Structures are given as C-alpha cells and as structure tokens.
Amino acid sequence: MTGVQLNNVIKRYGDVQVIHGIDLTIEDGEFCVFVGPSGCGKSTLLRMVAGLEETTEGSMTIGERDVTRMDPAQRGVAMVFQTYALYPHMTVEQNMGFGLKMNGHPKAEIDKKVGEATRILKLEDYLKRKPAALSGGQRQRVSIGRAIVRGPEVFLFDEPLSNLDAELRVEMRVEIARLHKEIGATMIYVTHDQVEAMTLADKIVVLRAGVIEQVGSPMDLYRDPDNKFVAGFIGSPAMNFLSGTVTADGVKVPSLQDTLKIKLQAADIGRDVVVGLRPEHLVLDPKGKTHTIDLTESLGGVSYAYLLSETGEKLVVEERGDERSTMGDTVGLRFDTARVYLFDAETELRIR
Ligand code: ADP
Ligand code: MG
C-alpha cells in the first residue's frame, strides 16, 4: 500500500510561513490534484513530499514509511517538472535509462525498463534522437518516461503541461490520464488550471495561501462548494456572484430586481449574502428588462453572453442551441432557485 499521508505539515522560509498545517490523506493508486492560484504553495507542498524541500514541522508517510526526514532518493517517488530537464547530449533512450545506469543497474534490466516506458508512451520512433530534435510534447513524454523507468511508488507532477500549446496540452492530458489507468500508481499532480484538475483528478485539493480550502472529487467540488473561493475557482466560466440581503420573504437581489423565494432561518434576516449562479444554469428571457448584453462570444457549440445589470453588476450566461442573443439586447434572467448558492458576504462561507 503506497498512499501518502500528510500530518499537520508546515513550511517556513525564515520568518515567512507559506504552508500552514496541512492534513491530507491520498489513497493508494489515487490521482490527486493540488490546484490553486499562483503562489498558493502547490509546488512547495509537492517538493516537500519529494524531499526537495525540508518539512519545517509535522510529518508525512508514504505507504507505511515515515519519510519526513528521508532523502529524496529513498522515498520511492519520481518527479516530472514543467521544464523537461533532459540531458541535451543524450538520446531519448539514454535520457530515460540514465538514472538507473548511475545507480549501477545491469544493462539488461535498464533495457527492459526503458523498453516498457517506450511502449507505454509510444516513443519507439524517437529512441535515437536527441531532445533538440523533438517537439515540446515529445520532450515531456521522455521526461515522464524517465520517471516511469525508475518504477516509483508515487509519481509527482509539477505543472507538466504548462509549457505546451493549447492543443498539445489537451492531447497530453489524455495521455497522462491513460498512463494513470495503465500503471495504477499513486499520482500527485500540481496545476493552476482548474480544467486539468477537473478532468484528471480522483481527488482535488484546492489550496489558497498555504491552506486547504476544500478536498473532494471534481463533481463534489463543482456541486457542493464549501465557500465562495472554491465555488469561483471550480467551473468554467466561473460562477457569477451577485450581492443580496436576506429578508422575511427570501433573498432580495437588487441586480435581478427580484426577491428569490429561498427559505432561510429567521435569525438570518438582515444578513448580507453573495448569491452564486453558474453561467450554465441561467437562461436569457427576451421579455425581461433587467440586463443589457454588453458582449457576446461565440465558440460555435456554445456562446457566452456578458450581461450588465442596471445596478452595474456583471454576469455571464452560457447559451447553446440555435437561438443566440446579440450585443445590445435587453433581457431578463430565468433560473431554478434550487441552483442558487448562497455565501455569507463577510466570511464567504457557504450558507446551506
Ligand atoms: P505555487 O506553486 O502555488 O505557485 P509556490 O509553492 O512556488 O507556489 O510558492 C508558495 C509561496 O512560497 C510563494 O509566496 C513564494 O513566494 C514562497 N516561496 C517559495 N520558495 C521560496 C523560498 N525559497 N524562499 C522564500 N519564499 C519562497
Ligand atoms: Mg508552482
């Protein structure tokens, strides 16, 4: 069993604390994604698991072993970086086998492992080439191959697709998902891209400023976010947020010129709230008069209408089907109140 467990893990650089006591269990064979905005501590946390950064306080285990103070080489992990870090003077084959060769493994064993990685990553045609003669995607495959060859218990990826163009990123994303299925090893994957997190993860860990905001499956986080940050981070385009107030009749939302029939506790009356509505849950009502369409973006199968309310609040609405709105139209909004998310305006915590 090679799950990963973090127990109240803390990282400080001098006086500056960047990781604030993380508790996390990653199951054996799970694909776990750390996601969050730039600077939130994703790489630091991953590098602590790898042993490339010292853990200031707390402990971590891989399988049954306490690895907190262990050397990187002893931990049974292999890391894939955003920059491929291949040796330019070595061929693909030599790059993949180099780590084992340095550790004195016999040639037959190296050949067998390199052959296996080559098959998994479909690198047969490139084995004799040097990195300069490869595309970005092929280079990244070689660096993943190098990790596979080491036979780690846990794979660690730090934004491995960020240097690739959009099309290749989608292709490699599918390959990494397939790799996980085939190998079945525990994987921890860092990204700032919520689409990568949604499509790859069994478990997503949303981080902000060195703290876990929420842990769950992609659809759990999408359907049931604990706070405004997670609600706004997961889902694309992002959830719309409107200001509102709880009244005896429901939630009054000035920008919608409406009071939503949502039952809250009497104690909540007068409380300021943020009303969350996903673009895909809104329908434009051509008979309404509350919003103007500021801009429309058509991607073909789907369009996004950018709306401005009379009160000056902005909103995005997703449109599919044959009828699409046009810029300058005056419209209203329809939606199911069961789709409304409410957050406390001050704490930003979900009101359920
Ligand atoms: P992410 O990968 O989520 O973009 P990082 O883990 O790289 O974020 O960084 C988290 C925080 O730690 C940032 O505020 C960054 O400035 C800080 N940090 C990273 N490395 C060091 C370091 N060697 N010394 C001081 N602060 C650091
Ligand atoms: Mg990073």
Side-chain angles (χ1 to χ4, degrees), residues 196-212:
E196 270 176 35
M198 288 297 282
T199 52
L200 285 170
D202 297 315
K203 176 185 277 171
I204 298 181
V205 178
V206 181
L207 290 165
R208 174 164 67 161
V211 172
I212 293 182

Side-chain angles (χ1 to χ4, degrees), residues 250-261:
V251 178
K252 187 176 176 207
V253 187
S255 67
L256 300 175
Q257 299 176 24
D258 198 6
T259 295
L260 309 178
K261 300 281 170 277

Side-chain angles (χ1 to χ4, degrees), residues 42-44 158-159 190:
K42 306 178 293 293
S43 296
T44 304
D158 192 353
E159 311 238 10
V190 161

Side-chain angles (χ1 to χ4, degrees), residues 161-295:
L161 309 185
S162 294
N163 280 5
L164 307 177
D165 62 43
E167 199 175 326
L168 211 51
R169 223 161 36 224
V170 174
E171 206 174 290
M172 281 300 293
R173 199 171 77 202
V174 174
E175 286 215 18
I176 289 176
R178 192 174 54 75
L179 178 73
H180 179 246
K181 245 196 203 99
E182 175 155 0
I183 298 183
T186 309
M187 295 187 175
I188 309 179
Y189 186 103
V190 161
T191 180
H192 64 274
D193 179 351
Q194 66 89 27
V195 176
E196 270 176 35
M198 288 297 282
T199 52
L200 285 170
D202 297 315
K203 176 185 277 171
I204 298 181
V205 178
V206 181
L207 290 165
R208 174 164 67 161
V211 172
I212 293 182
E213 291 284 318
Q214 193 171 355
V215 177
S217 74
M219 285 314 281
D220 279 348
L221 298 194
Y222 172 81
R223 291 198 182 115
D224 201 12
D226 283 342
N227 55 53
K228 188 182 163 208
F229 181 79
V230 173
F233 200 82
I234 301 290
S236 174
M239 185 184 281
N240 297 295
F241 295 118
L242 307 172
S243 45
T245 314
V246 180
T247 69
D249 303 326
V251 178
K252 187 176 176 207
V253 187
S255 67
L256 300 175
Q257 299 176 24
D258 198 6
T259 295
L260 309 178
K261 300 281 170 277
I262 296 172
K263 196 112 189 75
L264 290 162
Q265 289 164 23
D268 286 324
I269 292 174
R271 190 171 174 183
D272 286 332
V273 293
V274 174
V275 175
L277 282 164
R278 293 204 181 272
E280 56 272 37
H281 295 154
L282 295 169
V283 178
L284 295 177
D285 176 6
K287 293 197 214 70
K289 295 271 179 270
T290 53
H291 291 75
T292 316
I293 298 179
D294 213 19
L295 187 78

Side-chain angles (χ1 to χ4, degrees), residues 13 16 18-19 36-45 53 158-159 190:
Y13 291 108
V16 185
V18 296
I19 300 289
S38 180
C40 71
K42 306 178 293 293
S43 296
T44 304
L45 195 56
E53 292 284 352
D158 192 353
E159 311 238 10
V190 161

